[in-house]
Amino acid sequence: MQRTNPVLIPDEVLQGIEAVRASGKTNMLDAPVVKRLAREMGYSEAADWIDDHLAIYCVGLFAGFEPMDEGGEA
């Protein structure tokens, strides 16, 4: 079985995703609820990123996320 590398995302996005995950309020596969909770928790950049990168978000749920280097791209 092929292993997938973690998805590189901006640190502020990772913080928002991790905050929602740690809250335990939703299944992380429920992207609309994840986005709503992220906004409610003050992580609008995470919600916007998920809106713009839904497929990459889904891959990251299974492969993991890592913060990207400064000036990098996701």
Side-chain angles (χ1 to χ4, degrees):
M1 182 170 179
Q2 183 178 352
R3 181 179 162 170
T4 306
N5 292 331
V7 174
L8 299 177
I9 60 175
D11 187 55
E12 62 273 4
V13 172
L14 180 58
Q15 290 176 25
I17 290 171
E18 286 299 313
V20 173
R21 184 193 60 75
S23 77
K25 293 182 179 180
T26 189
N27 182 320
M28 296 304 287
L29 291 171
D30 192 347
V33 176
V34 172
K35 292 185 297 185
R36 179 179 55 80
L37 289 170
R39 287 189 202 290
E40 289 175 2
M41 297 170 77
Y43 294 99
S44 59
E45 60 280 328
D48 292 342
W49 185 89
I50 293 168
D51 265 340
D52 294 339
H53 303 89
L54 184 58
I56 296 170
Y57 170 75
C58 291
V59 170
L61 290 177
F62 295 98
F65 294 104
E66 286 187 7
M68 67 174 56
D69 293 335
E70 288 292 318
E73 293 184 15

